[in-house]
Amino acid sequence: MAAPRLTRRAFLRLMLLAGIGGGLAIAERQTRPVGLRTFLQWTLRGWRRRVEPPAVVALGASLSYDENLLRDALAELWAQADMPDVSGRRVLVKPNLIEWIEGRPLVTAPEVVGAVVDLLRSRGAEVVIGEGPGFRRDAGPVVAQSGLGAVLARRNVPFVDLNYDDPRPVPPRDGWFPGRSRLWLPRHVVEADLIVSVAKLKTHHWAGVTLSLKNLFGVVPGICYGWPKNMLHVNGITPSILGLKQTLPPVVSVIDGIIGMEGDGPLFGTPVPHGVLLVGRDPLAVDITGARLMGFEPEEIEHLSLGMWAGIGQGIRIETRGASMEALRRRYQPPPK
Amino acid sequence: MIRIVSAYRFLENAQNPDGGWGYRPGGRSTVEPTGAALLALADLPESPALAPARLWLERAQHPDGGWGIHLEDPESHWCTAWGVLALLRLDPVAPPALRGVRWLLQASAIRIQADELTAEVRRIFGIDPTLRGWPWRPGEASWVEPTALALLALHVASAAADHRDRIEEAIRYLVDRRCQGGGWNFGNPFMLGAYLPPRPHPTAWALLALQALAPDAIRPEDIEALRSEMHRDGGALALALGIMALQAFGVEDPIARERLEMLQQPDGSWEGNPYVTALALRALNGGWPWRRRG
């Protein structure tokens, strides 16, 4: 019996199939360790953001830490930013309490945290404050020394040291923790209906800036991952920031830039009296706006540019409300390399 | 005045029905507070809490000899040192503890040896990255506290002499990570041009470990750094660890003692936390339970 003859058409088909197969193999290799499927999901989601409605970020200007001024300003910004209804919801307020060094504006001002608590409670939320400092084995002294302890005591609101809060296994979502089948996260984080990341506007020597997304590192429990949380660095700072955002319950943002920090952040930078407060329900949009206020474009900050590309939030179409963005722009001194 | 009896009673009452302790009464049983509670309660050989606690720790041990944070955690890591210390406190030749020692000795940590990387790490962190201590989780970088805890566990298990190279490297790691002016931060003492300050908790653990295994490596400024940082921190955990570490050198700090005593709560606890209560009890009632061997 004669061997089947390879026609020209069959040959071209074979070549086409080989080309597609080879292309897929190269793409799979190029997209390791996340894989082609996840890579395509991120890419398509990023494209989709171009046609989705803009994210709203509300900007307050000329602010101080005066309690009454803050209360009124925050209520107005909350309304301008179309923030979610919190009535009857369990809300975890996550300030930045990384460490306490006298004279350095490295933590979220307690007055801002107090104003957020008052606002959430006035709208019927059940509020808990939680933080797991990366550079303190015991959050208690940071809470006391920063003045937050007194603010919380006056309001009789509980503080949870997330480093020790009963850790629960959670599957990481969206492919940012490749090779990990679970993340241990504190009970109060896992059980929250909403997380309000109440961050500080400051520079960061590894991440460029630390705003409401980077602030999420503090929810990772020290008893599981150590002090500081080395697993997040092993996984990569950028994928860990984005992966936490995608794995946690919904996160909204408030950023305290009333006194920001420039230079050698997150610990040893210098104060910048800036007078701004940012509020928004999309942390990526809020952080991009915050970075721009500091004089950085999102393309200069790896986790912001990758977050825009992968569409982890609306980073392309941002509508600012309230104070004028241009009038508030500064040029923060970047962190050392 | 410290109320010792009520502190022991708090610990016994805070024990979970499964035999372990959490970081708060009723919290899930976890290896670190359970280990610390056993270090304190072993002073009371008749305590009904001891046997169930020992059983819980044995149940929490993984087949590889290590411990995770609690029964649900399938990975072995830094908590292994606490498992070893607690079981050896009850029985100096407990076989599960010796399996834990074997796990510690084979636990991996990153060691950077490529010349160009080593130079970059030295520039950024001011450390020698070729030295290995112990990581929080296997395969990661070494840090001061897990290194000190592992060294203490190996010392208590009398395993130091048989594994001299590993121990000496870890001691060199601790010496290399000392902060400018004494004491220890969590890992590196320097970052991108800035010297990091010492912190009381890693400093206390590092001093306890070095006192047990290499007292000549300690400088007077390390002890001064601990003393000033524990007072600056002022929390019960920092004071308890600080007092315990100072006692190991025969140094008493009556002000720290008084501050810690003042923090005891009406229920006998410190912060309502079994882990902190156990360490405060040890600090105020006998200190670190093991002394240096010749």
Side-chain angles (χ1 to χ4, degrees):
Chain A
M1 190 174 136
R5 189 163 163 251
L6 186 63
T7 62
R8 186 166 173 272
R9 175 171 292 186
F11 176 75
L12 287 173
R13 276 190 185 145
L14 264 177
M15 291 306 289
L16 182 65
L17 283 174
I20 291 170
L24 286 173
I26 291 168
E28 176 68 27
R29 178 174 294 210
Q30 291 295 318
T31 55
R32 281 179 194 169
V34 296
L36 183 59
R37 189 173 160 196
T38 303
F39 180 84
L40 287 175
Q41 277 174 355
W42 292 348
T43 310
L44 292 173
R45 193 174 54 198
W47 285 346
R48 213 172 56 227
R49 296 292 185 194
R50 294 171 190 278
V51 294
E52 286 180 353
V56 175
V57 179
L59 293 177
S62 305
L63 294 169
S64 73
Y65 291 122
D66 175 85
E67 216 164 72
N68 294 329
L69 187 65
L70 267 180
R71 188 192 54 220
D72 296 344
L74 187 65
E76 194 180 331
L77 296 171
W78 196 267
Q80 285 174 343
D82 298 330
M83 295 297 271
D85 178 14
V86 294
S87 174
R89 300 175 78 187
R90 282 171 299 194
V91 179
L92 174 78
V93 172
K94 161 65 178 77
N96 184 334
L97 298 176
I98 180 173
E99 177 47 300
W100 178 250
I101 301 172
E102 197 63 45
R104 304 273 184 193
L106 72 174
V107 301
T108 311
E111 296 85 352
V112 174
V113 181
V116 171
V117 169
D118 292 345
L119 180 132
L120 292 167
R121 281 184 161 175
S122 71
R123 284 159 167 72
E126 182 189 323
V127 181
V128 170
I129 313 293
E131 164 69 313
F135 286 91
R136 284 295 183 112
R137 200 40 155 101
D138 178 3
V142 184
V143 172
Q145 290 159 5
S146 67
L148 181 62
V151 165
L152 301 184
R154 277 205 302 278
R155 291 165 171 82
N156 194 26
V157 58
F159 176 87
V160 178
D161 188 338
L162 297 177
N163 280 326
Y164 298 93
D165 190 29
D166 184 12
R168 305 278 168 90
V170 173
R173 298 195 188 97
D174 207 30
W176 297 98
F177 288 95
R180 282 187 190 274
S181 59
R182 77 179 78 77
L183 280 183
W184 292 98
L185 292 173
R187 177 175 74 85
H188 282 89
V189 170
V190 175
E191 293 181 353
D193 298 315
L194 182 73
I195 296 173
V196 185
S197 177
V198 189
K200 190 77 177 168
L201 192 79
K202 58 179 184 172
T203 49
H204 190 284
H205 50 220
W206 302 131
V209 293
T210 169
L211 304 168
S212 69
L213 286 168
K214 173 68 176 63
N215 185 36
L216 299 176
F217 269 27
V219 306
V220 173
I223 54 167
C224 297
Y225 299 110
W227 283 262
K229 292 98 191 249
N230 194 211
M231 175 276 289
L232 301 172
H233 298 89
V234 172
N235 184 63
I237 291 176
T238 290
S240 295
I241 293 172
L242 303 178
L244 281 172
K245 157 68 182 65
Q246 297 299 78
T247 301
L248 295 173
V251 180
V252 299
S253 307
V254 174
I255 300 180
D256 162 22
I258 295 171
I259 295 181
M261 178 195 264
E262 66 178 357
D264 193 6
L267 301 180
F268 302 109
T270 46
V272 180
H274 199 156
V276 297
L277 198 61
L278 296 88
V279 177
R281 58 196 303 168
D282 184 326
L284 181 68
V286 177
D287 284 14
I288 287 172
T289 307
R292 285 182 171 140
L293 289 178
M294 300 164 82
F296 304 115
E297 281 307 311
E299 292 75 16
E300 298 174 74
I301 310 293
E302 189 181 75
H303 68 271
L304 298 182
S305 65
L306 194 58
M308 282 169 75
W309 171 77
I312 70 139
Q314 176 55 281
I316 297 162
R317 304 183 66 205
I318 300 172
E319 177 190 337
T320 55
R321 294 181 186 166
S324 155
M325 176 87 186
E326 288 314 310
L328 291 173
R329 269 191 200 251
R330 299 285 174 85
R331 185 152 293 280
Y332 279 46
Q333 187 189 345
K337 295 285 176 203
Chain B
M1 186 68 185
I2 181 185
R3 289 165 291 111
I4 297 276
V5 175
S6 65
Y8 282 123
R9 195 170 301 130
F10 169 83
L11 276 184
E12 288 180 336
N13 291 338
Q15 187 175 30
N16 288 325
D18 65 7
W21 281 264
Y23 289 98
R24 58 180 173 77
R28 190 196 310 209
S29 295
T30 306
V31 169
E32 186 181 45
T34 300
L38 277 178
L39 257 54
L41 285 169
D43 289 341
L44 312 176
E46 305 302 317
S47 171
L50 296 181
R54 178 180 179 154
L55 283 174
W56 184 86
L57 268 180
E58 290 177 0
R59 209 165 63 245
Q61 188 174 29
H62 298 147
D64 65 7
W67 276 268
I69 28 171
H70 51 45
L71 293 173
E72 265 190 64
D73 182 1
E75 293 172 75
S76 299
H77 47 66
W78 69 280
C79 286
T80 299
W82 273 109
V84 170
L85 287 166
L87 290 176
L88 291 177
R89 176 87 171 113
L90 299 177
D91 173 3
V93 290
L98 302 180
R99 287 207 304 279
V101 166
R102 280 198 289 278
W103 185 89
L104 283 172
L105 288 166
Q106 59 77 42
S108 64
I110 289 176
R111 185 208 301 269
I112 297 174
Q113 284 182 306
D115 284 348
E116 62 278 17
L117 271 179
T118 305
E120 184 64 0
V121 173
R122 275 185 211 276
R123 182 186 73 78
I124 295 173
F125 298 113
I127 57 170
D128 179 353
T130 64
L131 294 171
R132 215 172 23 141
W134 270 268
W136 292 101
R137 302 179 80 87
E140 298 181 356
S142 304
W143 296 88
V144 170
E145 184 173 329
T147 298
L149 283 170
L151 285 174
L152 285 165
L154 295 175
H155 169 252
V156 172
S158 304
D162 296 337
H163 304 278
R164 191 173 298 276
D165 290 350
R166 184 77 178 90
I167 302 286
E168 284 183 356
E169 184 181 358
I171 288 169
R172 288 204 306 280
Y173 165 89
L174 286 180
V175 170
D176 182 69
R177 266 53 168 183
R178 171 187 278 123
C179 292
Q180 191 194 41
W184 283 263
N185 196 282
F186 288 89
N188 40 300
F190 177 86
M191 191 148 49
L192 289 168
Y195 289 99
L196 298 179
R199 286 292 170 243
H201 313 91
T203 299
W205 286 119
L207 282 174
L208 280 169
L210 290 176
Q211 200 279 337
L213 289 158
D216 293 346
I218 295 164
R219 295 179 187 160
E221 57 262 39
D222 297 326
I223 292 170
E224 267 321 297
L226 174 61
R227 199 202 292 266
S228 76
E229 287 301 321
M230 70 195 235
H231 280 290
R232 198 191 316 275
D233 181 287
L237 183 58
L239 290 168
L241 285 171
I243 291 168
M244 210 156 44
L246 290 177
Q247 283 172 345
F249 296 91
V251 176
E252 287 294 333
D253 186 331
I255 297 173
R257 211 181 160 84
E258 192 183 325
R259 288 183 75 183
L260 184 58
E261 287 177 7
M262 298 276 288
L263 292 172
Q264 190 178 23
Q265 295 184 355
D267 64 1
S269 79
W270 278 263
E271 301 175 1
N273 180 328
Y275 168 64
V276 179
T277 301
L279 292 177
L281 250 177
R282 282 254 50 94
L284 297 173
N285 193 35
W288 184 247
W290 294 279
R291 292 283 173 261
R292 179 165 189 268
R293 296 194 187 84

